Amino acid sequence: MFGISWMGRPALIGLAAVAILTVTGGARAEVISLRSGNGSVPGTDSLITMKVGPVNSAFGAFTATDFTDAQSGANAFIIAKHPAWKAHLGSDPAAEWISSHATGVSEGYTALYAIDFTISSAAIASAILDFNFLIDNALGDAINEGLFVNGTAVAGTKRLGAVTSYFTADQAFTGLDITALVNPGLNTLYINAVDLGGPGALQFSANIDVTAGELAAEIPEPAALALLAAGLLGAGLLRRRAVR
């Protein structure tokens, strides 16, 4: 959807919104919006794929294979809410609950979800992620962070324990600097949604604010500089002879 991602998966164009702006000083910026629920209830999310993990417990330490499996896995299920869950995020009423199974409202599994996004800028000065979510039960686990970009953990993105407020009140991580984790072109956001018993589901909405950087000027190699100097010198000699 939303540089080539390290997984090399084709970009998907879907319901994500990308706004291109110009900020002070002439720098170009884009805002990439992602959400769960790209489709109808009940059904599957056309933009989110997943690796289904264990029931009632977390994954082990992630490897590159886990991220590949999440990217190439089945599409997540869009489900109706559990009576105890908040219906929609206050920041994005269009977001919906997704789960590892169509029956996630009664029994869901831990899942590593993947959603692609594309950065159109050829050079990136900064990329800042705001991530809002509701979850049953936890984001991340004792070993793994809750969020990953292109397979690299985003530090400080855990909400641990089966806490009821995680699915009854909006949760958020804001101002996450992911500049070093993204590339121009295709990228992937991964979400480690952990089931700790009974229902298992996730709802999220994310914005990625990207400010374009300046492309570095190409510096000629020494051999090219020598040829250029010889050419300029030759032109100067020819000009002097012509003047005489």
Side-chain angles (χ1 to χ4, degrees), residues 222-238:
L225 288 172
L227 287 172
L228 176 62
L232 291 173
L233 180 60
L237 291 173
L238 288 173

Side-chain angles (χ1 to χ4, degrees), residues 28-55:
R28 187 167 174 268
E30 56 186 311
V31 179
I32 301 166
S33 296
L34 313 174
R35 68 164 62 95
S36 59
N38 303 287
S40 302
V41 180
T44 57
D45 193 305
S46 63
L47 301 179
I48 300 176
T49 55
M50 61 183 172
K51 176 173 183 174
V52 179
V55 63

Side-chain angles (χ1 to χ4, degrees), residues 6-7 62-64 67 148-154 181 188-190:
W6 67 290
M7 298 299 179
F62 286 134
T63 67
F67 297 108
F148 294 76
V149 175
N150 294 332
T152 300
V154 181
L181 308 183
T188 307
L189 173 67
Y190 299 90

Side-chain angles (χ1 to χ4, degrees), residues 15-147:
L15 301 182
V18 181
I20 307 296
L21 340 165
T22 299
V23 296
T24 304
R28 187 167 174 268
E30 56 186 311
V31 179
I32 301 166
S33 296
L34 313 174
R35 68 164 62 95
S36 59
N38 303 287
S40 302
V41 180
T44 57
D45 193 305
S46 63
L47 301 179
I48 300 176
T49 55
M50 61 183 172
K51 176 173 183 174
V52 179
V55 63
N56 303 337
S57 62
F59 286 100
F62 286 134
T63 67
T65 300
D66 294 311
F67 297 108
T68 301
D69 291 347
Q71 263 198 331
S72 61
N75 291 84
F77 291 91
I78 306 174
I79 64 172
K81 69 178 283 303
H82 187 282
W85 298 342
K86 185 178 179 183
H88 300 285
L89 287 162
S91 61
D92 188 353
E96 299 284 357
W97 286 93
I98 59 173
S99 182
S100 59
H101 290 73
T103 56
V105 71
S106 58
E107 183 62 84
Y109 287 44
T110 291
L112 180 63
Y113 295 105
I115 184 168
D116 289 341
F117 62 95
T118 298
I119 295 176
S120 64
S121 303
I124 301 167
S126 68
I128 305 299
L129 170 65
D130 292 335
F131 186 81
N132 299 278
F133 65 100
L134 297 160
I135 194 164
D136 188 344
N137 295 100
L139 189 74
D141 54 66
I143 301 173
N144 304 298
E145 289 287 355
L147 302 179

